[in-house]
Amino acid sequence: MHLAYPAVLAALLFCIGLYGVLARRNAILVLMSVELMLNAVNLNLVAFDVWLRDTLHSGQALTLFTIAIAAAEIGIGLAIVLAVYRNRGTSDIDRLRDTAETDDAEKLPDSAGTDSAGTDTADADGTEPPPGRADGKTGKTKKAEATT
């Protein structure tokens, strides 16, 4: 067997996987492309092991370790993708940039009763407004406010 045939096939598989990693937006397809790249490496390891007639079969042994690591990688990767899909509703990689940490301290009111603009958010009696309401209103209807 010539070494060129499996080497060319492995190079083609690796290039297809690399294209998939760089061009795809879906996280599942990116994980599949990484698997293609790992399989191309495995094909090279086995081909060179056969070509060199290694008595220890170290290329094949290393291939088994690579398969085990790839299985763990795909398991963890799919778990992360499923968790992101449940929270976000999409597995689009470009939309995952929204998960970056931002400085929310400027947007939230501090404990002294003022918001980021420095206006007082406490009621006249000094109590804090309900969560989500910066104007201090409790959400009562006008009829209920008129009777109190």
Side-chain angles (χ1 to χ4, degrees), residues 10 15 20 24 37 72 78 115 121 125 145 147:
C15 289
R24 297 293 177 183
M37 293 168 61
L78 281 175
D115 60 4
T121 59
D125 58 355
E145 286 178 0
T147 60

Side-chain angles (χ1 to χ4, degrees), residues 10-137:
L12 287 174
L13 279 176
F14 193 84
C15 289
I16 292 170
L18 186 64
Y19 173 75
V21 167
L22 296 176
R24 297 293 177 183
R25 304 273 187 238
N26 191 343
I28 301 291
L29 294 177
V30 169
L31 287 173
M32 288 174 55
S33 299
V34 169
E35 289 296 318
L36 267 177
M37 293 168 61
L38 287 172
N39 285 330
V41 170
N42 289 341
L43 181 61
N44 267 337
L45 285 171
V46 171
F48 277 99
D49 182 47
V50 170
W51 185 63
L52 294 173
R53 294 186 177 96
D54 188 14
T55 57
L56 294 176
H57 300 292
S58 56
Q60 294 177 20
L62 191 56
T63 298
L64 289 175
F65 285 115
T66 307
I67 290 171
I69 290 172
E73 173 258 334
I74 200 72
I76 292 171
L78 281 175
I80 292 171
V81 168
L82 284 175
V84 167
Y85 183 77
R86 284 181 184 164
N87 288 334
R88 298 274 177 172
T90 183
S91 61
D92 190 9
I93 293 177
D94 289 337
R95 295 188 185 200
L96 293 181
R97 293 181 188 157
D98 297 338
T99 61
E101 292 183 22
T102 58
D103 189 20
D104 290 336
E106 297 173 2
K107 298 176 186 175
L108 298 175
D110 61 0
S111 61
T114 59
D115 60 4
S116 61
T119 58
D120 189 19
T121 59
D123 284 342
D125 58 355
T127 60
E128 289 292 320
R133 300 286 305 257
D135 57 357
K137 294 183 179 179

